[in-house]
Amino acid sequence: MQIELRQVGFKNKGAELMLLSACSKIRNEYEDCKIGIGVTSIAGDYIQRAGLQLYQIPKLWRFNNQLGIAANYIPKKIATNFGIMQPKAIDVVLDCAGFAYTDQWGLSIAKELHDSVKRCKDNGSKFIFLPQAFGPFKNKKIRKEISKALLLADHIFVRDSKSLLYISELAPI
């Protein structure tokens, strides 16, 4: 099984702790799985990713297009040898965002989320939301993008009653 952990990494302590916790739990349950995280630049946290035996999933956004899908065209053996997880081979995406899905961060994050969930579903992958919090959503354009993403998801886990209220306004639960 190949699993992508989305919205985790080494950018802040919360994202790193979520990464470590999710890796530990997944590896205890599924010994033979491969875990990958998105990489948004060529430079970055390679040493930390390698130390955790994480595959890298190219996430290269340019001109509102996800160029990372080009990794799907790399021969599988080469991709594996370079530690690249091809997006088309991912079985499950676990979105472990903190406080990313709200009006506060703007429309681009909501659009990227919807695009990512749609691409995931087009590949035949499962998409599961595990964020720290949802909402509020007052901006109509953000509401629309988040709503479309939620409707495509396989599972949505909500951690608090306020988040439940915010997303129940957007999608049937």
Side-chain angles (χ1 to χ4, degrees), residues 65-81:
N65 292 305
Q66 177 50 270
L67 303 179
I69 61 170
N72 286 331
Y73 302 102
I74 300 171
K76 187 177 181 178
K77 185 173 184 171
I78 293 172
T80 301
N81 286 343

Side-chain angles (χ1 to χ4, degrees), residues 3-9 11-12 14-23 26 37 93-101 113 127-133 159:
I3 300 170
E4 175 183 353
L5 295 178
R6 214 177 106 78
Q7 298 293 343
V8 296
K11 57 189 169 212
N12 64 53
E16 184 175 353
L17 290 172
M18 183 58 133
L19 169 63
L20 296 172
S21 177
C23 285
I26 291 167
I37 62 171
V93 176
L94 298 175
D95 188 301
C96 303
F99 183 58
Y101 308 133
L113 173 65
F127 194 97
I128 300 170
F129 277 103
L130 300 169
Q132 180 179 337
R159 296 192 202 183

Side-chain angles (χ1 to χ4, degrees), residues 63-160:
F63 312 109
N64 291 325
N65 292 305
Q66 177 50 270
L67 303 179
I69 61 170
N72 286 331
Y73 302 102
I74 300 171
K76 187 177 181 178
K77 185 173 184 171
I78 293 172
T80 301
N81 286 343
F82 282 96
I84 297 170
M85 184 179 285
Q86 296 173 306
K88 68 181 179 186
I90 295 169
D91 299 300
V92 179
V93 176
L94 298 175
D95 188 301
C96 303
F99 183 58
Y101 308 133
T102 177
D103 284 347
Q104 181 176 341
W105 303 112
L107 182 59
S108 62
I109 288 179
K111 283 185 173 183
E112 185 279 328
L113 173 65
H114 174 235
D115 182 71
S116 294
V117 177
K118 186 177 181 327
R119 183 172 286 109
C120 168
K121 299 309 294 177
D122 290 347
N123 285 336
S125 306
K126 301 282 187 202
F127 194 97
I128 300 170
F129 277 103
L130 300 169
Q132 180 179 337
F134 284 103
F137 306 106
K138 303 288 185 208
N139 180 297
K140 289 180 183 179
K141 291 178 180 179
I142 293 173
R143 289 174 64 90
K144 182 179 177 183
E145 294 297 325
I146 296 290
S147 179
K148 290 190 287 188
L150 292 170
L151 290 170
L152 290 172
D154 293 283
H155 297 288
I156 304 167
F157 292 92
V158 182
R159 296 192 202 183
D160 63 87

